[in-house]
Amino acid sequence: MEAPSVPEEGALKADLDGPGCACQPPVLASKRPPHPDGPAAGTFFALNGRLLSFTTQETLGGALWALVEREGAGCEEPTWDTFLLKHGFMRIMLAQDFAIADRTLYFTANDEVHGFELWKTDGTTEGTMLVKDIIPGEGDSVPRDFFLLDETLYFTANDGMHGRELWKSDGTARGTRLVEDIRPGPTGSEPFGMVKVGEQSILFTADDGSHGREPWRSDGTRSGTRLIEDIHPGPTGSEPTSLNVMASHIILFTADDGEHGRELWKSDGTPGGTRLVEDIRPGPEGSNHFEYLSARFTVVGPRLYFSADDGVHGHELWRSDGTPSGTRLVEDIRPGSEGSMPSVLKQLDGWLFFSADDGTHGREPWRSDGTAGGTLLLVDAFPGTGSSSPSGFPAPGKVFFYATSPNFGQELWVTDGSRSGTRLVKDIRPGPASAFPRYPSDPIPMNGGLIFSAFTDEHGDEPWLSDGTREGTRMMELFPGPASSTPFEFTRVGEWVYFTAEDGVHDWEVWALPMACFPKTGGR
């Protein structure tokens, strides 16, 4: 087998001033029993200096593994040990719900004895265990909606008697219990959207069967769990959504009080501190018609940026600091009632990166500093009224994004928030064909660079690295020729980036790439 390719010297400079190995081709880190039906490795997690992964094997069934770099192996022949933590799982729901606290990973799994219940691991065999069998036997309580507050894990579960309600755990069976039966009976209040409020409490939404879905608060005790405010009186509920925590510990969210429509509200977790921020669109229709799209809300510094329709300008970019005077339209990007429909809101080194359609250039990348003068189109990547439909992946000092253009197809772009600093990184698949012909997976920022999977006709899907420059964007081919190694699950643990790929010899295994292959963190 040919050796995997490595970037040219200087293309991706090695960070030799810190710990870890210099940049080198990917190294095979594990070899486990083969999987008969496809990829062996599932979701990866970094825990206590170990890489954890879930696999499915013909003989072991579902299994949880730990990959540990062997001490003293050196950079010339790095070596890893693979430990089987637990096998016999029917399924582990690591991709849906998990939490890491105090060097412990909490997750939901079914070991074919206890049903879907709460488990934990510290990355060792002896530390991998069932926390509590909430429904004894084969019944499923299906813990989910995990949220950590200090050392306490909050989650929702259905114990078969109370419906889905709020639970908490300290990692022991005795310390795992129902917090409160908010909606008595088997239906359950379905708590959702937990965020921290105050010092030792959480704010979430729940439906108690009388007030509809409204904001609630809990300190983890039965007496300390209560309805904050019946925003929409009666059983309908205000349906709070898009809960965003501000630096001042104020929660901004949208809700419909039945009088003003869906508008921006705030809460500090108390009835007196829960109120309408601003009636952006006077009357019952409301300014927010996309309440379930979290991509239209993001916090940058002391401000929440969001998309709203005031009934005059259409859906445009707004900002709020949680006060009426500090809530206003940033810019009427597309004059008239149609609106530019801002979306994909991302933080960009103190600025806001987003996509919008001004009616002339199609949907393209924009940036804003929160003022009309500081809100501008970065590039018309797809010239004319066509849209490049940019995504956004923040990295220190920059945002990488996928964008489509008629000459290059869908390729990787980068911006530092200025027009001169917004450019195509590289035409990875030359010509109008796309380097991401299928729905692309999100690239993963590493220091000031990026690792991702891209397709070329000569090499198929292979891992690529980029520092945001054309010269610093290189493929590291694992499967020579047009066949694909199809890398996925890029995860950093210590001084290595791990991922799953197939090189044509070892089937689907875990590979490791030194962090030194990525540039040091930079800024604007």
Side-chain angles (χ1 to χ4, degrees):
M1 182 186 71
E2 298 179 17
S5 60
V6 66
E8 299 172 5
E9 184 176 359
L12 288 172
K13 296 179 180 179
D15 179 9
L16 298 180
D17 296 331
C21 300
C23 187
Q24 59 180 287
V27 179
L28 182 65
S30 76
K31 192 174 189 310
R32 294 153 303 172
H35 179 263
D37 302 315
T43 306
F44 285 173
F45 289 91
L47 184 70
N48 303 336
R50 299 180 170 207
L51 180 76
L52 303 189
S53 68
F54 174 67
T55 68
T56 302
Q57 273 86 36
E58 191 171 17
T59 56
L60 295 175
L64 187 64
W65 299 79
L67 192 66
V68 184
E69 184 181 6
R70 189 177 298 174
E71 294 184 8
C75 293
E76 293 185 1
E77 295 185 8
T79 305
W80 287 263
D81 294 312
T82 304
F83 299 96
L84 177 61
L85 304 183
K86 170 73 177 174
H87 67 89
F89 288 114
M90 183 178 78
R91 185 182 173 195
I92 298 181
M93 297 171 61
L94 281 171
Q96 290 91 349
D97 285 287
F98 68 92
I100 297 177
D102 192 29
R103 303 170 66 85
T104 300
L105 169 68
Y106 293 96
F107 59 97
T108 296
N110 183 333
D111 66 354
E112 299 190 90
V113 175
H114 300 94
F116 284 101
E117 297 292 352
L118 182 64
W119 286 70
K120 71 175 182 179
T121 182
D122 61 2
T124 67
T125 303
E126 59 273 13
T128 302
M129 65 188 72
L130 176 71
V131 176
K132 184 167 185 171
D133 191 14
I134 294 175
I135 297 183
E138 298 181 356
D140 304 314
S141 71
V142 194
R144 70 182 190 214
D145 308 310
F146 291 2
F147 183 78
L148 283 166
L149 182 60
D150 297 330
E151 304 304 322
T152 300
L153 174 69
Y154 288 93
F155 62 98
T156 68
N158 185 343
D159 64 2
M161 295 183 293
H162 302 94
R164 183 161 296 277
E165 292 289 357
L166 182 66
W167 286 65
K168 74 173 186 178
S169 178
D170 62 1
T172 68
R174 185 174 181 178
T176 302
R177 62 176 181 82
L178 173 69
V179 175
E180 170 66 331
D181 186 14
I182 294 173
R183 183 171 185 165
T187 302
S189 66
E190 297 282 347
F192 185 74
M194 300 178 212
V195 294
K196 181 179 179 180
V197 64
E199 294 301 322
Q200 296 294 327
S201 296
I202 60 171
L203 185 150
F204 57 97
T205 72
D207 182 352
D208 64 1
S210 299
H211 302 93
R213 183 163 295 276
E214 294 289 358
W216 284 68
R217 176 175 181 159
S218 179
D219 62 2
T221 67
R222 183 177 181 182
S223 61
T225 302
R226 57 185 179 275
L227 174 69
I228 296 174
E229 182 74 7
D230 189 12
I231 294 174
H232 189 162
T236 301
S238 65
E239 296 286 341
T241 60
S242 303
L243 279 65
N244 290 270
V245 180
M246 306 297 288
S248 59
H249 302 295
I250 296 295
I251 312 300
L252 294 185
F253 59 96
T254 69
D256 184 349
D257 65 359
E259 179 182 352
H260 301 93
R262 182 161 296 277
E263 293 289 355
L264 187 66
W265 284 68
K266 73 175 182 180
S267 179
D268 62 1
T270 67
T274 302
R275 62 178 69 95
L276 175 69
V277 175
E278 180 72 1
D279 188 12
I280 294 173
R281 182 171 187 165
E285 189 168 349
S287 65
N288 196 294
H289 305 151
F290 302 94
E291 62 267 28
Y292 298 107
L293 297 179
S294 59
R296 297 182 185 271
F297 296 82
T298 197
V299 176
V300 179
R303 299 168 179 163
L304 173 70
Y305 289 89
F306 58 100
S307 174
D309 181 357
D310 63 2
V312 177
H313 301 95
H315 264 275
E316 291 291 354
L317 183 66
W318 284 67
R319 71 177 223 197
S320 179
D321 61 2
T323 67
S325 62
T327 302
R328 56 180 178 270
L329 174 69
V330 175
E331 172 68 338
D332 187 14
I333 294 173
R334 184 171 186 166
S337 60
E338 192 167 348
S340 66
M341 303 292 289
S343 186
V344 193
L345 278 62
K346 305 289 182 179
Q347 198 277 141
L348 173 54
D349 208 19
W351 289 339
L352 178 74
F353 172 93
F354 63 101
S355 73
D357 183 350
D358 64 2
T360 302
H361 301 95
R363 181 160 295 278
E364 297 291 350
W366 288 67
R367 75 102 160 122
S368 179
D369 63 0
T371 68
T375 301
L376 54 88
L377 172 68
L378 290 172
V379 66
D380 188 12
F382 199 117
T385 56
S387 298
S388 69
S389 302
S391 53
F393 311 100
K398 59 180 77 79
V399 168
F400 291 93
F401 59 96
Y402 296 138
T404 302
S405 63
N407 294 329
F408 305 113
Q410 189 178 41
E411 294 286 352
L412 183 67
W413 293 62
V414 69
T415 183
D416 63 1
S418 68
R419 284 173 171 161
S420 62
T422 303
R423 61 186 180 276
L424 173 71
V425 174
K426 184 173 184 175
D427 189 11
I428 292 173
R429 188 180 183 186
S434 297
F436 312 99
R438 295 172 291 278
Y439 188 81
S441 58
D442 291 353
I444 307 299
M446 296 290 174
N447 287 346
L450 202 70
I451 186 167
F452 58 100
S453 174
F455 179 87
T456 63
D457 296 300
E458 293 182 3
H459 304 285
D461 273 305
E462 295 291 343
W464 284 71
L465 316 179
S466 180
D467 62 0
T469 68
R470 185 181 187 280
E471 298 75 17
T473 301
R474 291 288 186 271
M475 175 184 65
M476 286 194 164
E477 187 176 25
L478 288 175
F479 200 143
S484 299
S485 68
T486 317
F488 64 100
E489 285 296 333
F490 300 109
T491 303
R492 179 180 179 178
V493 181
E495 296 304 316
W496 295 91
V497 177
Y498 298 91
F499 59 94
T500 295
E502 180 184 12
D503 68 350
V505 176
H506 299 94
D507 198 18
W508 295 90
E509 291 296 345
V510 180
W511 294 74
L513 184 69
M515 277 300 298
C517 292
F518 301 91
K520 293 181 179 180
T521 301
R524 193 171 63 232

